[in-house]
């Protein structure tokens, strides 16, 4: 591998091991400076591959454990993913085989966004002979939720007097004001108030750090060059897709 002028590549005096192979390779290294400790590249396979039968395939610890840049995707997980902390994103949703044409099409939905950590509960109740109904919520509803909001929709006819007669208390609420036998669709939302949510409040309108001002999470969306990305500001040593193309041209 040829020396490169940027911090992402091997530099004179770097104490680390780098490996490149078109089919396979292995390398280990340690770096006391600002360069990566281990770097692997491959033009036809995985740059770095980890496997463990009984442990962790790849273990990363740092200010940022793993930084990935990729096109069209920076990471792919074939299995369940657990995040112990907060997950932030520019957008997201579900991407599945289309239920009406799974062989030929996809179906995409976006996530619902909110400045609060919302929990949503819904269902259908049938009013009794008195035009009332009591809805039982999960036994942990009160412990988990605060700032409860309600929505009621009568099914099959108007119900101008439909209302919440008793708000949530002891994990249940009551509906009144409709005709006997009327079906009512209800929705209840609550803001999380569990221990983790209380100690990690959402800051909906936050300021960028002084060194981040003038940089963007998504510079291309604002008509700015890629060099104005906060990710590159935070991790200038990251090997980007452009770096890899330059490297391929050198080899």
């Amino acid at each position: 591998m040829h020396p490169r002028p940027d911090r992402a590549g091997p530099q004179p005096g770097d104490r680390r091991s780098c490996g490149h192979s078109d089919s396979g390779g292995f390398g280990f290294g340690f770096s006391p400076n600002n360069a990566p400790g281990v770097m692997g590249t491959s033009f036809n396979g995985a740059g770095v591959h980890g496997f463990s039968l009984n442990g962790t395939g790849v273990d990363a610890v740092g200010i940022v454990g793993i930084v990935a840049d990729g096109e069209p995707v920076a990471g792919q997980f074939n299995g369940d993913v657990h995040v112990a902390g907060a997950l932030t994103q520019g957008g997201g949703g579900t991407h599945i085989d289309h239920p009406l044409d799974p062989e030929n099409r996809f179906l995409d939905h976006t996530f619902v966004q909110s400045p609060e950590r919302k929990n949503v509960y819904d269902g259908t109740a049938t009013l009794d002979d008195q035009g009332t109904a009591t809805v039982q919520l999960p036994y942990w509803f009160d412990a988990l939720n605060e700032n409860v909001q309600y929505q009621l929709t009568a099914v099959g006819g108007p119900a101008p007097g439909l209302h919440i007669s008793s708000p949530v208390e002891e994990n249940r609420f009551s509906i009144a004001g409709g005709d006997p036998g009327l079906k009512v669709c209800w929705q209840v939302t609550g803001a999380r108030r569990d221990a983790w949510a209380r100690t990690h409040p959402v800051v909906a309108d936050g300021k960028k750090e002084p060194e981040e001002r003038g940089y963007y999470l998504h510079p291309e969306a604002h008509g700015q060059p890629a060099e104005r990305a906060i990710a590159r500001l935070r991790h200038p040593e990251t090997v980007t897709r452009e770096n890899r193309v330059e490297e391929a041209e050198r080899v």
Side-chain angles (χ1 to χ4, degrees):
M1 181 178 285
H2 303 290
R4 296 168 53 195
D6 55 52
R7 292 174 59 193
Q11 298 294 308
D14 279 2
R15 291 176 56 193
R16 60 175 176 175
S17 175
C18 295
H20 166 77
S21 173
D22 286 344
S23 58
F26 172 81
F28 171 81
F30 168 77
S31 175
N33 51 28
N34 293 324
V38 177
M39 176 179 171
T41 68
S42 174
F43 296 150
N44 299 310
V48 176
H49 179 78
F51 170 81
S52 176
L53 188 62
N54 297 309
T56 302
V58 176
D59 192 353
V61 178
I63 301 295
V64 178
I66 295 177
V67 177
D69 174 82
E71 181 66 35
V73 295
Q76 178 171 324
F77 301 89
N78 298 318
D80 297 338
V81 177
H82 171 72
V83 179
L87 177 65
T88 57
Q89 57 184 9
T94 57
H95 178 66
I96 63 174
D97 296 317
H98 199 291
L100 297 179
D101 189 6
E103 293 184 356
N104 302 298
R105 299 174 67 86
F106 295 114
L107 185 68
D108 289 86
H109 274 31
T110 184
F111 293 145
V112 176
Q113 310 296 324
S114 170
E116 293 184 299
R117 293 190 177 96
K118 290 282 190 179
N119 295 313
V120 180
Y121 310 81
D122 58 19
T124 302
T126 301
L127 303 186
D128 60 17
D129 293 341
Q130 305 299 315
T132 66
T134 297
V135 176
Q136 181 67 51
L137 296 166
Y139 71 92
W140 33 258
F141 182 92
D142 286 346
L144 180 62
N145 295 280
E146 61 184 0
N147 301 331
V148 179
Q149 305 290 323
Y150 308 86
Q151 290 190 28
L152 301 175
T153 303
V155 179
L162 195 65
H163 63 281
I164 300 294
S165 57
S166 297
V168 172
E169 186 175 357
E170 296 183 352
N171 306 308
R172 62 173 64 92
F173 70 95
S174 297
I175 304 169
D179 295 332
L182 180 71
K183 290 186 180 298
V184 178
C185 292
W186 58 267
Q187 183 180 91
V188 172
T189 62
R192 281 178 53 183
R193 66 174 182 179
D194 57 280
W196 191 91
R198 286 190 180 279
T199 55
H200 298 80
V202 176
V203 180
D205 185 6
K207 293 183 179 180
K208 295 179 179 180
E209 296 296 331
E211 65 274 13
E212 295 174 337
R213 294 171 188 173
Y215 291 82
Y216 305 82
L217 292 172
H218 308 284
E220 68 284 352
H222 299 275
Q224 299 294 321
E227 290 74 17
R228 306 304 293 179
I230 288 179
R232 293 196 180 186
L233 175 69
R234 293 172 178 171
H235 310 288
E237 75 283 2
T238 302
V239 180
T240 64
R241 183 171 182 269
E242 290 78 7
N243 295 146
R244 293 194 296 271
V245 171
E246 292 174 3
E247 184 63 33
E249 293 173 349
R250 289 190 174 98
V251 174

